[in-house]
Amino acid sequence: MAENNDNIIDTEFMEVNPDGTPVDGTNANVLSETDAADKSAEDKSDEKKPDEYEKVCYICRRPESVTGKMIDIPGGLSVCPDCMQKTFDSMSRIPFGGDNSGANIDLGNLPQFSFMNLQDLMSGMMPPESQRLKKKKPKAEGEKAVKPEIDIDHMLPPHAIKAKLDEYVIGQEHAKKVISVAVYNHYKQVKANENLLNDNSDGVEIEKSNVLMIGPTGSGKTYLVKTLAKLLDVPLAITDATSLTEAGYIGDDIESVVSKLLAAAGNDVEKAEKGIIFIDEIDKLAKKRNANQRDVSGEAVQQGMLKLLEGSEIEVPVGASSKNAMVPMTMVDTTNILFICGGAFPDLEDIIKERLNKSSAMGFVSELKDKYDDDENILDKVSVEDLRKFGMIPEFLGRLPVICTLQPLSTEMMVKILKEPKNAIIKQYQKLFRYDEVDLQFEDDALTAIAEEAKKKELGARALRSILEDLMLDIMYEIPKDDNIGTVIVTKDYVEHKGGPRVLMRTDERKIITAG
């Protein structure tokens, strides 16, 4: 029996319940080695992974990379040293009454303090995911330079970029060449400046060449850049200049154009600093000629954009279009950001003709004053002097050295736009009709008639869709009524409102094949 003594539990020192049964909680805090190992494994699995986002000051909304080490306060909030010091300075200046020693305190002059629940405050004030900044990865000593996300070795050459644009954009050969070369040279410039920082170059720094696109409405300026954005795997932001105003006035701040690029890059500052920004309607920033009040949306915006185009570090709101107290801020360097500005510049043709007709005087060298009235390519003769007279300041034009003009669309170009591009308008309607198992066809004379009517509207390619929508309304309304309709042919007479479209019914053999 001696060998069984080790298994006997002395109940004399054992805590028991009133009914004599041992209390289960006596050894509740005692864990076996296996349980301890399991608990430690769970603790390790519950450990938070390193946060890839950085802290943002609750008061000034600046990130930790700008302000320095943050001060954590209860409730999960963080405050930068500057704001904390300002808070202490403000509290030290509170008047308590009496003499300077504070011995005689007038309780009536004490400020009315109130307390709040920091947990309730935190619930509605923490920045959402779209307003958080990713931390920059620190480079360890001796670590090789990280391969950039945008590698010039995998960048399409200019002829390949133009070939891709040809599949979507009809005509505008010169403009497509300029854009292709500008984008290709931009990323060579980015690569050269990276080598300059790594001491792998000859010390020559390449400056960027921003582009100014001029063309009538509907000629394809915006569509050209949108197509470029689809083809290139680079951050590209398309914004509008009509909403921009001088800082402090109602409207978007000038820095909002960069904040849109930052959002397109996923709030990754390093990736955004190598992107492209297209600013449309740039002609709306021209100086007001007869304005007695402050031009807050014209010349003032041009002045404010100078630092963006030239290249400088600016403070940009994250996840918003304007600066406010609830939006974090970050620094973005615009040195390697390519800016493409586009505008219709209405009445610029008259300014060009006025300059060209200066030599129209009396004598043997005189020219007719109406010599350039029928010249559709008059924009090719534009000069910086004409743009200055239009209302653009010389400092702004000096930062857009490449001037690219787009030609108005001819009737032949509009016919090609209707049927040749990958997403041509005719192909879009044919796809709609295929859902009803109907074949939609257009006669060549009908397409020419549509193009001629669009040419009269002087709206460019935008007029084509409006005309087609009007033509196809009755057809799209009547076709679903009859399942026997197999083919619809749009004729010239229907376009000119002299007749109706030709409708071909399904044959009996076609019905059998469809039913089978």
Side-chain angles (χ1 to χ4, degrees):
M1 299 294 292
E3 64 274 9
N4 296 330
N5 291 336
D6 296 336
N7 297 327
I8 298 176
I9 301 176
D10 190 0
T11 59
E12 182 179 355
F13 301 98
M14 188 178 199
E15 185 178 355
V16 295
N17 292 323
D19 57 356
T21 58
V23 178
D24 295 336
T26 304
N27 296 329
N29 296 326
V30 181
L31 296 175
S32 63
E33 295 181 359
T34 305
D35 295 336
D38 294 340
K39 182 174 178 58
S40 61
E42 292 177 0
D43 294 341
K44 289 182 179 179
S45 63
D46 293 339
E47 290 180 357
K48 291 184 178 180
K49 296 180 180 180
D51 191 4
E52 60 179 348
Y53 295 93
E54 56 183 332
K55 298 178 181 178
V56 178
C57 178
Y58 171 71
I59 299 177
C60 67
R61 314 307 298 170
R62 292 183 299 170
E64 192 173 19
S65 59
V66 177
T67 62
K69 183 66 176 177
M70 290 283 184
I71 301 173
D72 296 329
I73 61 177
L77 304 178
S78 300
V79 180
C80 68
D82 295 338
C83 294
M84 184 63 74
Q85 185 62 44
K86 291 178 182 179
T87 304
F88 289 148
D89 293 341
S90 300
M91 293 180 64
S92 63
R93 291 193 295 267
I94 294 177
F96 288 102
D99 55 9
N100 294 333
S101 63
N104 300 323
I105 298 178
D106 185 3
L107 297 178
N109 292 331
L110 280 175
Q112 299 295 323
F113 291 104
S114 60
F115 297 92
M116 65 182 68
N117 189 347
L118 290 177
Q119 294 293 338
D120 297 338
L121 184 66
M122 184 187 99
S123 61
M125 297 302 181
M126 294 303 291
E129 198 72 19
S130 61
Q131 295 182 350
R132 300 180 68 192
L133 294 176
K134 285 187 176 180
K135 294 180 180 178
K136 293 185 178 180
K137 296 181 179 179
K139 185 182 294 184
E141 295 183 2
E143 181 183 358
K144 295 183 180 180
V146 181
K147 187 176 181 180
E149 296 185 22
I150 304 171
D151 193 354
I152 192 61
D153 298 332
H154 299 89
M155 192 69 186
L156 293 175
H159 69 276
I161 297 176
K162 182 182 178 298
K164 292 287 187 180
L165 293 175
D166 289 338
E167 298 178 2
Y168 296 90
V169 183
I170 299 298
Q172 312 298 356
E173 299 297 323
H174 177 66
K176 288 187 287 190
K177 283 184 180 179
V178 171
I179 293 298
S180 302
V181 173
V183 172
Y184 184 68
N185 286 342
H186 170 64
Y187 288 103
K188 285 198 294 186
Q189 175 244 346
V190 171
K191 186 70 173 179
N193 292 341
E194 286 180 353
N195 293 335
L196 184 65
L197 296 176
N198 297 330
D199 298 331
N200 295 330
S201 66
D202 54 2
V204 179
E205 183 177 358
I206 303 176
E207 296 183 357
K208 63 179 177 180
S209 297
N210 299 317
V211 182
L212 175 62
M213 298 174 61
I214 302 174
T217 179
S219 58
K221 300 181 296 296
T222 308
Y223 184 70
L224 190 63
V225 179
K226 286 184 177 179
T227 306
L228 187 68
K230 297 178 183 177
L231 301 177
L232 300 179
D233 188 17
V234 296
L236 188 146
I238 300 177
T239 184
D240 201 304
T242 54
S243 61
L244 299 179
T245 59
E246 188 180 358
Y249 290 85
I250 296 176
D252 290 341
D253 293 334
I254 299 172
E255 291 81 2
S256 65
V257 298
V258 183
S259 66
K260 292 182 180 179
L261 178 64
L262 185 62
N267 290 343
D268 189 342
V269 177
E270 294 182 359
K271 189 176 180 181
E273 289 177 347
K274 303 172 186 177
I276 303 174
I277 295 178
F278 175 65
I279 306 177
D280 202 3
E281 307 292 345
I282 199 68
D283 54 300
K284 304 304 186 292
L285 301 181
K287 292 191 296 184
K288 306 300 185 291
R289 299 179 182 178
N290 298 322
N292 296 326
Q293 57 187 4
R294 185 174 180 84
D295 191 6
V296 297
S297 61
E299 182 182 0
V301 179
Q302 293 187 53
Q303 296 283 356
M305 291 184 65
L306 297 181
K307 60 179 181 179
L308 298 183
L309 301 176
E310 184 72 21
S312 61
E313 290 189 355
I314 61 173
E315 203 172 25
V316 176
V318 180
S321 59
S322 60
K323 300 176 182 177
N324 58 74
M326 302 308 301
V327 176
M329 310 294 293
T330 186
M331 300 298 295
V332 177
D333 189 1
T334 64
T335 303
N336 292 329
I337 296 178
L338 177 65
F339 287 87
I340 303 176
C341 301
F345 290 88
D347 301 330
L348 182 62
E349 296 89 344
D350 298 335
I351 298 176
I352 299 174
K353 292 176 184 178
E354 182 181 354
R355 174 177 57 84
L356 296 176
N357 288 329
K358 284 183 179 179
S359 59
S360 299
M362 299 176 62
F364 294 103
V365 296
S366 62
E367 297 179 356
L368 297 176
K369 291 187 177 182
D370 59 351
K371 177 180 178 180
Y372 301 101
D373 289 350
D374 298 330
D375 188 0
E376 292 187 351
N377 299 329
I378 188 68
L379 288 177
D380 288 343
K381 303 176 177 61
V382 68
S383 65
V384 176
E385 178 186 351
D386 300 327
L387 294 173
R388 288 182 60 181
K389 193 170 183 180
F390 183 84
M392 312 305 291
I393 62 176
E395 298 90 342
F396 185 83
L397 295 174
R399 289 162 172 81
L400 297 168
V402 181
I403 298 178
C404 168
T405 58
L406 284 78
Q407 305 303 328
L409 300 178
S410 62
T411 304
E412 293 77 11
M413 292 173 65
M414 286 190 177
V415 172
K416 292 181 179 180
I417 291 173
L418 283 171
K419 60 181 182 178
E420 290 188 4
K422 278 190 173 182
N423 56 345
I425 306 176
I426 297 300
K427 295 179 181 178
Q428 296 177 26
Y429 281 103
Q430 289 174 342
K431 185 174 182 179
L432 287 175
F433 275 74
R434 279 198 295 269
Y435 284 105
D436 295 328
E437 298 182 357
V438 177
D439 183 20
L440 177 64
Q441 299 178 9
F442 286 82
E443 292 182 350
D444 292 338
D445 293 341
L447 294 178
T448 304
I450 294 173
E452 290 176 351
E453 187 175 350
K455 179 75 174 177
K456 296 177 183 178
K457 292 181 178 293
E458 297 183 355
L459 296 177
R462 293 187 177 93
L464 295 174
R465 180 170 288 276
S466 63
I467 294 174
L468 281 172
E469 285 288 343
D470 185 43
L471 286 176
M472 303 303 296
L473 176 63
D474 292 335
I475 298 178
M476 291 187 292
Y477 182 80
E478 297 292 339
I479 290 301
K481 292 182 179 180
D482 192 350
D483 294 336
N484 294 324
I485 298 177
T487 303
V488 177
I489 302 175
V490 179
T491 61
K492 180 180 179 181
D493 291 339
Y494 179 64
V495 175
E496 295 177 348
H497 304 287
K498 297 179 181 179
R502 281 193 294 161
V503 178
L504 303 180
M505 310 303 290
R506 305 177 193 269
T507 61
D508 295 337
E509 182 181 358
R510 174 86 176 272
K511 291 180 182 179
I512 295 174
I513 295 175
T514 305

